[in-house]
């Protein structure tokens, strides 16, 4: 009985190691092939590194032809220098992580401030002579040099980038490189932090003619807010500011009454996009300028276009919703255009922006 139990137990690991699918055994092979095609690091000799390699090859041929032990010793020293350089550079790059910080608002053709943090996650070893390459869509990458990064230390850096067009865009990313320790080989890691950002249309000053038309429009829509004029009287609710209690109405009604204030005089506006043509980008830029001007002046804004409708609202979150819709706007195909909906019961001034 004990022998049978041992034999059954011994056969159990073999049964567990059986592949669960026909391609299971090929996975390590494909993984190795993927690492060869896209390695973790790339190594490129510098000018001094090429001279070292040529010297090692030349001395190697000379040692094989002459059998001179001194030449063999020199070749061994040069090859050992290459191995030590690779080990120390790998130790310097390992354990480094990069975190990217992107601005909340990115407008086309306007410099935006980006930031990143590189952290040394190694518990005991420092990283030396690290260069961070900030890749750019066009042009030479920006370089940030970090001479030493202690264990657990972080380095924060920032840069300005101007993105030329609106829409959803992917940043080129950041790459870690090093020439440590001897400057013979440039070792580079994979490109990381290729974040996707939304670029708003270019916003600029509103033309003076349009500003004059906006100032001469209809009367401002009344709504609750934090202004100074009286909007309404109502009963007191828990959480209301005691300073807003209207004592005369309280004495007359016999219950606590508070004042509701009216928002500062603003012009609630409905922006309508019309057509699609050569003036598409200029029209979207004008619409973005109107959105930023009106929202930051305290107005409520509604956006309407074929296939796009954002009900009226106010505040910075609503501003970002409007600008995102403008950044991702694509004209509707011909024949599919219809009249966009409209907020019912809300008096809105209407500004039409031609895109054709």
């Amino acid at each position: 009985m004990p022998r049978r139990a041992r034999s059954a137990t011994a056969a159990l690991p073999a049964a567990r190691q059986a592949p669960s699918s026909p391609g299971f055994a090929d996975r390590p092979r494909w993984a190795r092939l993927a690492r060869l095609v896209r390695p973790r690091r790339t190594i490129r000799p510098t000018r001094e590194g090429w001279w070292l390699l040529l010297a090692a090859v030349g001395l190697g041929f000379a040692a094989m032809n002459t059998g001179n032990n001194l030449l063999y010793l020199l070749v061994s020293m040069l090859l050992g220098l290459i191995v030590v350089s690779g080990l120390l550079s790998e130790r310097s790059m390992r354990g480094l992580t990069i975190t990217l910080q992107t601005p909340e608002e990115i407008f086309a053709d306007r410099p935006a401030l980006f930031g990143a943090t590189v952290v040394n996650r190694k518990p005991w070893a420092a990283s030396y002579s690290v260069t961070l390459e900030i890749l750019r869509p066009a042009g030479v990458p920006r370089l940030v040099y970090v001479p030493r990064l202690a264990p657990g230390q972080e380095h924060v850096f920032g840069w300005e980038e101007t993105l030329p067009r609106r829409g959803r865009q992917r940043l080129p990313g950041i790459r870690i490189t090093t020439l440590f320790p001897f400057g013979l080989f440039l070792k580079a890691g994979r490109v990381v932090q290729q974040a996707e950002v939304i670029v708003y249309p270019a916003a600029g000053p509103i033309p003076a003619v349009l500003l004059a038309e906006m100032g001469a429009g209809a009367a401002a829509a009344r709504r609750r807010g934090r202004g100074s004029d009286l909007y309404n009287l109502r009963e007191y609710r828990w959480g209301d500011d005691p300073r807003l209690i209207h004592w005369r109405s309280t004495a007359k009604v016999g219950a606590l009454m508070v004042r509701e204030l009216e928002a500062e005089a603003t012009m609630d506006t409905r922006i309508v996009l019309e057509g699609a043509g050569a003036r598409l980008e200029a029209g979207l830029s004008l619409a973005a300028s109107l959105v930023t001007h009106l929202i930051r002046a305290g107005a409520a804004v509604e956006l309407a276009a074929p296939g796009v409708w954002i009900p009226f609202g106010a505040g910075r979150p609503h501003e970002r919703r409007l600008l995102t819709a403008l950044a991702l706007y694509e004209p509707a195909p011909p024949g599919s255009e219809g009249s966009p909906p409209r907020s019912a019961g809300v008096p809105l001034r209407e500004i039409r922006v031609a895109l054709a």
Side-chain angles (χ1 to χ4, degrees):
M1 291 297 293
R3 290 182 179 178
R4 291 180 181 177
R6 283 196 298 269
S7 62
T9 306
L12 185 59
R16 288 180 178 176
Q17 294 175 1
S20 58
S21 61
F24 181 81
D26 296 334
R27 289 179 185 175
R29 184 182 305 172
W30 285 109
R32 289 194 296 269
L33 182 60
R35 284 195 296 268
L36 290 176
V37 174
R38 191 170 180 265
R40 286 183 55 193
R41 308 269 193 260
T42 57
I43 302 176
R44 182 165 53 89
T46 61
R47 184 177 62 180
E48 292 78 8
W50 281 115
W51 282 111
L52 176 68
L53 293 176
L54 291 176
V57 172
L59 289 176
F61 278 113
M64 288 187 294
N65 290 331
T66 61
N68 192 328
N69 292 333
L70 180 59
L71 294 179
Y72 279 114
L73 181 61
L74 290 176
V75 171
S76 301
M77 291 177 60
L78 293 180
L79 295 178
L81 187 65
I82 295 173
V83 173
V84 170
S85 175
L87 293 176
L88 292 180
S89 61
E90 179 64 26
R91 177 187 174 186
S92 181
M93 292 184 64
R94 183 163 296 180
L96 298 180
T97 58
I98 297 177
T99 305
L100 180 66
Q101 293 89 32
T102 58
E104 293 184 356
E105 297 180 349
I106 305 175
F107 290 90
D109 296 328
R110 182 186 297 180
L113 181 61
F114 293 83
T117 304
V118 56
V119 183
N120 183 8
R121 301 290 184 184
K122 294 189 289 292
W124 55 273
S127 296
Y128 296 93
S129 188
V130 174
T131 302
L132 305 171
E133 289 188 3
I134 305 168
L135 305 180
R136 305 176 64 186
V140 181
R142 292 183 172 88
L143 303 179
V144 177
Y145 179 70
V146 183
R148 184 179 185 274
L149 204 59
Q153 185 182 1
E154 63 180 28
H155 179 77
V156 181
F157 57 96
W159 70 97
E160 284 188 350
E161 190 69 54
T162 302
L163 300 177
R165 63 182 186 277
R166 67 176 178 93
R168 200 185 304 271
Q169 299 185 30
R170 182 173 293 276
L171 299 178
I174 305 174
R175 179 170 55 193
I176 301 177
T177 64
T178 184
L179 290 171
F180 184 76
F182 307 121
L184 301 175
F185 299 93
L186 176 65
K187 179 174 284 190
R190 292 178 181 173
V191 178
V192 296
Q193 295 299 334
Q194 293 176 299
E196 191 176 72
V197 296
I198 295 179
V199 183
Y200 300 148
I206 300 176
V209 177
L210 185 55
L211 278 177
E213 293 178 1
M214 293 168 57
R222 298 180 69 247
R223 65 173 182 274
R224 298 178 183 89
R226 296 187 178 183
S228 56
D229 296 334
L230 179 65
Y231 178 79
N232 191 17
L233 291 173
R234 61 169 174 82
E235 290 190 7
Y236 177 85
R237 300 171 188 166
W238 184 87
D240 287 338
D241 190 350
R243 294 173 297 180
L244 297 179
I245 296 176
H246 195 266
W247 296 106
R248 184 176 299 177
S249 301
T250 299
K252 184 183 299 184
V253 177
L256 283 177
M257 302 293 292
V258 295
R259 293 175 291 126
E260 285 185 331
L261 302 180
E262 181 181 343
E264 296 293 341
T266 56
M267 294 300 293
D268 295 345
T269 305
R270 170 184 165 94
I271 299 176
V272 181
L273 306 181
E274 294 181 329
R279 296 193 68 256
L280 175 64
E281 298 302 326
L284 292 176
S285 176
L286 176 59
S289 304
L290 288 170
V291 166
T292 56
H293 173 77
L294 292 169
I295 291 289
R296 295 176 187 182
V301 179
E302 175 181 299
L303 178 65
V308 177
W309 179 63
I310 300 179
F312 88 104
R316 297 304 293 272
H318 186 68
E319 178 188 5
R320 284 193 284 270
R321 284 193 294 269
L322 294 169
L323 292 174
T324 301
L326 293 173
L328 304 179
Y329 178 75
E330 294 294 338
S336 63
E337 299 181 0
S339 59
R342 187 186 187 99
S343 299
V346 180
L348 295 178
R349 175 186 51 184
E350 190 169 275
I351 297 179
R352 295 185 174 271
V353 179
L355 305 181

